[in-house]
Amino acid sequence: MLRKLLMLLTTLVLATPWAAAHEMSMAEMVLRETSPGEFIWQWSAANDKRPMNADLVPRWPDGCVAQESALHCRGGLSGTLRIDGVGDRYSAALVRIFWIDGEERVYTLTGSQSHVELYGSSQDRRSWYQIAVAYVVLGVEHILSGYDHLLFVCGLLFLVSFRRQLLWTITAFTAAHSLTLVSAALGWLTLRPPPVEAGIALSIVLVAAEALHQRPTLSRRWPALVAFLFGLVHGLGFAGALKEIGLPQNYLPTALFSFNVGVELGQLLVVAVAWLLWRALRQWKPLPILKNPALYGIGSIAAYWCLVRVAVILR
């Protein structure tokens, strides 16, 4: 009976839309200054048939008037640029401004920070604090909406439980994906996204399989080592998302560090919520019975992702 229930639950889970590979949706707007105060602007092509302007509405600074693809700004493009709709269909919006003097500036807007201050010239006067806040938020949003990364963390919790080893395991995972995130973001390490995504899915399958038994395998004896090795792969996935978002070259260290901090904050939030649930339900008698069905569900979803992502590689 339990096996039939497990198969039914797994089938239902695999049928859900979020069983697909997680991708961070990113919108991009490009503005080109043609003469002082005059711009041509457009959204980049969307990945599907629905245009970006159906979901995103720019609110230009005072003194700026948009007419189709032309933007006229008295006194220059200066003031608050807001984009309504960010955070719904699109996780973030990237605004690239190409100034007439050849300079380029990149701004990132998110659901929680849907506006940015422009200063009417190529001189980027955003403070490091504004950059840091924007990229911390992006890091948190990415980990909380990245179902594959969340399932891997859940697999580690089942493998290690809430023992002292968990601290070292999470620390090792953090150190590893921070290392590859920085290396890939700076261009020192380059891999195609499909193999990285397939490797992330495979890591979830392996951790779930190890958590199902109590044999003294390497992952049981040295979970921190296993978390470190798999963390190297997950860091490449984080770097892929960060590459889609873009990094402001004049604030590169700040943006890179802040995004990584955001990822860690999101990860710690997941662990904290799991610990609170465990504390609240640990006296509940059916709880141990649910462990194996949960792990089979996690492993089945990840196996499905792995097959889909390998198919993309071979296509």
Side-chain angles (χ1 to χ4, degrees), residues 83-99:
I83 299 181
D84 295 342
V86 178
D88 297 332
R89 181 179 173 217
Y90 295 96
S91 303
L94 204 68
V95 179
R96 295 184 183 274
I97 303 178
F98 296 89
W99 299 93

Side-chain angles (χ1 to χ4, degrees), residues 149-204:
H149 302 302
L150 290 180
L151 285 188
F152 181 78
V153 173
C154 290
L156 287 180
L157 292 177
F158 277 115
L159 178 66
V160 182
S161 189
F162 293 99
R163 296 177 293 158
R164 184 173 299 177
Q165 274 186 316
L166 180 62
L167 174 62
W168 297 109
T169 302
I170 294 297
T171 301
F173 181 61
T174 296
H177 71 62
S178 298
L179 180 63
T180 47
L181 168 61
V182 172
S183 299
L186 295 179
W188 301 339
L189 179 63
T190 304
L191 286 177
R192 293 175 56 240
V196 172
E197 297 296 330
I200 290 173
L202 181 60
S203 72
I204 303 169

Side-chain angles (χ1 to χ4, degrees), residues 23-288:
E23 294 182 0
M24 195 169 192
S25 55
M26 174 65 56
E28 182 176 345
M29 175 195 290
V30 176
L31 292 97
R32 296 184 182 274
E33 188 180 26
T34 56
S35 61
E38 301 294 325
F39 296 82
I40 296 174
W41 74 279
Q42 64 179 4
W43 293 106
S44 61
N47 293 329
D48 50 32
K49 295 181 180 180
R50 184 179 176 87
M52 291 183 180
N53 58 12
D55 300 277
L56 301 173
V57 179
R59 304 297 182 189
W60 304 105
D62 294 338
C64 293
V65 178
Q67 296 176 340
E68 294 184 354
S69 60
L71 180 67
H72 312 277
C73 296
R74 299 191 311 272
L77 183 58
S78 180
T80 301
L81 169 64
R82 182 182 301 275
I83 299 181
D84 295 342
V86 178
D88 297 332
R89 181 179 173 217
Y90 295 96
S91 303
L94 204 68
V95 179
R96 295 184 183 274
I97 303 178
F98 296 89
W99 299 93
I100 198 170
D101 61 4
E103 291 292 321
E104 176 188 354
R105 289 293 177 263
V106 180
Y107 301 88
T108 306
L109 292 84
T110 67
S112 58
Q113 187 171 329
S114 59
H115 68 277
V116 66
E117 293 297 325
L118 305 178
Y119 292 93
S121 71
S122 61
Q123 182 64 36
D124 189 345
R125 300 181 187 176
R126 291 179 296 168
S127 68
W128 68 268
Y129 175 77
Q130 291 174 302
I131 298 292
V133 170
Y135 278 83
V136 166
V137 170
L138 281 171
V140 173
E141 289 179 350
H142 178 64
I143 189 67
L144 294 183
S145 61
Y147 304 118
D148 42 9
H149 302 302
L150 290 180
L151 285 188
F152 181 78
V153 173
C154 290
L156 287 180
L157 292 177
F158 277 115
L159 178 66
V160 182
S161 189
F162 293 99
R163 296 177 293 158
R164 184 173 299 177
Q165 274 186 316
L166 180 62
L167 174 62
W168 297 109
T169 302
I170 294 297
T171 301
F173 181 61
T174 296
H177 71 62
S178 298
L179 180 63
T180 47
L181 168 61
V182 172
S183 299
L186 295 179
W188 301 339
L189 179 63
T190 304
L191 286 177
R192 293 175 56 240
V196 172
E197 297 296 330
I200 290 173
L202 181 60
S203 72
I204 303 169
V205 174
L206 296 177
V207 169
E210 288 293 292
L212 278 168
H213 61 74
Q214 298 295 325
R215 295 192 300 271
T217 58
L218 176 66
S219 61
R220 287 285 180 183
R221 294 195 303 267
W222 299 96
L225 176 60
V226 173
F228 183 86
L229 295 175
F230 287 146
L232 295 174
V233 181
H234 283 255
L236 293 174
F238 294 139
L242 190 56
K243 184 177 180 181
E244 291 181 5
I245 296 169
L247 287 167
Q249 294 302 310
N250 49 337
Y251 288 107
L252 182 60
T254 299
L256 189 55
F257 176 77
S258 300
F259 183 81
N260 198 49
V261 168
V263 168
E264 300 318 316
L265 290 176
Q267 181 178 288
L268 291 175
L269 177 61
V270 171
V271 174
V273 170
W275 181 80
L276 290 174
L277 287 174
W278 175 75
R279 291 279 296 180
L281 301 175
R282 61 179 176 172
Q283 301 300 327
W284 188 41
K285 291 183 179 180
L287 185 61

